[in-house]
């Protein structure tokens, strides 16, 4: 017979379940749910696995069956009260007869928020705030996108200990080892879009799709090509994943559109294409998380415009002494202007080290 668990344990498990949906649910959030029976024993688990599919609460309640009656539903995000492509989760919880719902994070949207109050009006006890920090971190991209109107941007970089991304002769493969390269594909799989600049496009002919992982939703590949010069044979234009080519307003992209390439024209300035406008356009397409993979000038523009939210640095125990810097001029001239981040994770990737840090901003 299974043993009862604490609410805190159940919420930790729900956060773990929610993470399984990363990169699959846009424009919806990732959500996990654990259902406990009247004795506090786990009788159902669920997570939101894809947009348009059953929500976490519905999956967990289906697994629990009649054992949910009188029990507790522990969920990472406030249950929705509206009908979209699926029915309201509040209705499913009420129909299942749960007596209590424990919520980590309130839903900030007007359409789906308010589920907790609806449940209370129908006699269900609602407890809010349990495990909020962990649940918010796991859902940070979606929460940021709905609060700000632009996607969460993660800048992924690979560098030597002395901050070089390539040698003096331009060679760069491979700075980091195989384990780090595998981690990059996991990062891609957990994001809605992958972005590279024109320099990386010309130098590396990147593919940008997820490889080596099963049952993934391929991210949108976004390449900046201000002058619409990309070759139609470029690897990023294959049919493995969708691709958006971003050009400057006024550039002749007829060759691309005639070939069926998805093209977006944006204003351009001294630093290149308008990145804020790009992120707004991607948000309009349902993109809530972007992985910025290169290069140094694109990253510098994003930093200068305060558009980077998180950095994932893969650091190789190697020294070059010369070569390309990891970041170009971002307009920072003194130490007091340095972009400060908070480290959220440090991990070994074979011989390399991965450091994840989020940008500090006042809320």
């Amino acid at each position: 017979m299974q043993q009862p668990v604490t609410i805190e344990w159940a919420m930790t498990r729900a956060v773990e379940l929610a993470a399984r949906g990363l990169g699959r649910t846009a424009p919806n959030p990732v959500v996990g749910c654990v259902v406990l029976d009247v004795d506090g024993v786990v009788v159902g688990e669920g997570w939101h696995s894809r947009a348009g599919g059953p929500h976490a609460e519905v999956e967990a309640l289906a697994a629990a069956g009649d054992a949910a009656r009188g029990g507790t539903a522990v969920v990472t995000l406030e249950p929705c009260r509206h009908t979209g492509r699926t029915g309201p989760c509040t209705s499913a919880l009420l129909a299942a007869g749960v007596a209590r719902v424990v919520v980590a994070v309130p839903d900030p949207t007007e359409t789906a928020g308010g589920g907790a109050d609806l449940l209370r009006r129908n006699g269900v006890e609602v407890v809010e705030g349990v495990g909020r920090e962990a649940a918010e971190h796991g859902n940070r991209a979606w929460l940021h996108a709905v609060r700000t109107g632009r996607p969460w941007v993660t800048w992924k970089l690979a560098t030597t200990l002395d901050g070089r991304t390539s040698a003096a002769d331009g060679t760069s493969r491979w700075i980091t080892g195989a384990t780090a390269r595998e981690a990059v594909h996991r990062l891609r799989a957990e994001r809605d879009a992958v972005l590279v600049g024109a320099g990386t496009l010309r130098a590396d002919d990147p593919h940008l799709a997820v490889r080596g992982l099963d049952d993934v939703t391929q991210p949108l590949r976004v390449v900046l090509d201000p002058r619409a010069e990309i070759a139609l044979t470029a690897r990023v234009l294959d049919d493995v994943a969708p691709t958006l080519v971003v050009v400057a307003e006024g550039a002749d992209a007829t060759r691309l559109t005639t070939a069926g390439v998805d093209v977006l024209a944006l204003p351009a300035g001294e630093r290149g294409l308008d990145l804020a406008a790009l992120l707004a356009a991607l948000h309009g397409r349902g993109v809530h998380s972007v992985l910025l993979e290169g290069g140094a000038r694109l990253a510098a523009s994003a930093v200068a415009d305060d558009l980077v939210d998180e950095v994932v640095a893969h650091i190789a125990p190697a020294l070059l002494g010369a070569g390309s810097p990891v970041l170009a001029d971002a307009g920072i001239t003194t130490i007091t202007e340095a972009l400060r981040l908070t480290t959220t994770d440090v991990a070994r990737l074979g011989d390399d080290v991965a450091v994840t840090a989020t940008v500090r901003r006042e809320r």
Side-chain angles (χ1 to χ4, degrees):
M1 182 176 181
Q2 287 184 303
Q3 297 297 313
V5 300
T6 65
I7 294 298
E8 290 75 16
W9 184 96
M11 184 62 77
T12 298
R13 175 60 177 164
V15 171
E16 293 173 353
L17 293 169
R20 298 184 182 183
L22 286 170
R24 303 167 179 264
T25 63
N28 296 341
V30 294
V31 183
C33 180
V34 173
V35 175
L36 311 178
D37 66 12
V38 293
D39 296 317
V41 174
V42 176
V43 290
E45 295 184 340
W47 65 93
H48 187 39
S49 60
R50 61 180 177 83
H55 288 190
E57 298 93 323
V58 173
E59 290 281 344
L61 291 169
D66 290 340
R69 189 161 300 278
T72 299
V74 179
V75 60
T76 57
L77 185 69
E78 180 181 11
C80 64
R81 58 172 174 79
H82 79 298
T83 299
R85 282 185 280 183
T86 61
C89 291
T90 49
S91 297
L93 290 163
L94 292 171
V98 298
R100 181 172 58 160
V101 175
V102 178
V103 176
V105 181
D107 192 312
T109 63
E110 292 185 8
T111 54
D117 289 338
L118 188 151
L119 290 169
R120 288 189 182 101
R121 290 196 298 270
N122 284 272
V124 176
E125 179 189 357
V126 179
V127 179
E128 298 182 86
V130 175
R132 179 165 182 165
E133 183 176 354
E136 282 193 334
H137 182 75
N139 223 358
R140 61 194 180 281
W142 181 82
L143 289 167
H144 177 272
V146 299
R147 289 167 177 164
T148 67
R150 74 160 176 84
W152 174 270
V153 176
T154 300
W155 173 32
K156 191 283 301 179
L157 60 96
T159 178
T160 59
L161 285 173
D162 55 343
R164 302 294 176 178
T165 60
S166 66
D169 65 356
T171 55
S172 61
R173 294 188 178 184
W174 294 100
I175 284 180
T176 53
T179 304
R181 296 197 294 274
E182 292 169 2
V184 171
H185 287 281
R186 290 193 295 272
L187 281 173
R188 288 178 182 174
E190 293 176 352
R191 302 305 190 276
D192 302 330
V194 179
L195 171 65
V196 297
T200 299
L201 182 64
R202 290 192 300 269
D204 299 338
D205 187 23
H207 191 233
L208 301 182
V210 178
R211 299 188 300 275
L213 299 175
D214 297 327
D215 190 28
V216 299
T217 299
Q218 290 287 353
L220 173 68
R221 300 176 291 188
V222 183
V223 294
L224 304 189
D225 183 25
R227 294 180 290 191
E229 295 175 332
I230 186 172
L232 293 178
T233 55
R235 298 171 67 218
V236 78
L237 295 182
D238 66 15
D239 59 2
V240 172
T243 300
L244 175 66
V245 177
V246 186
V247 305
E249 290 180 343
D252 184 3
T254 305
R255 175 179 59 90
L256 300 177
T257 56
T258 300
V261 177
D262 189 6
V263 174
L264 172 66
L266 291 177
E270 291 184 2
R271 284 190 172 274
L273 293 168
D274 187 334
L275 296 183
L278 170 60
L279 293 177
L282 291 175
H283 183 270
R285 291 172 175 240
V287 171
H288 287 159
S289 59
V290 172
L291 184 65
L292 191 163
E293 287 205 35
R297 284 178 293 179
L298 173 59
S301 295
V303 169
D305 292 342
D306 194 27
L307 297 175
V308 172
D309 304 296
E310 180 179 57
V311 176
V312 177
H314 289 176
I315 305 169
L319 299 171
L320 286 172
S324 301
V326 69
L327 184 67
D329 181 8
I332 299 170
T333 58
T334 180
I335 192 65
T336 58
E337 297 174 351
L339 182 63
R340 300 292 181 178
L341 300 93
T342 299
T343 301
T344 58
D345 187 65
V346 178
R348 285 284 300 269
L349 299 174
D351 286 336
D352 307 316
V353 176
V355 178
T356 302
T358 55
V359 175
R360 301 176 188 174
R361 289 193 182 97
E362 296 295 330
R363 290 194 174 184

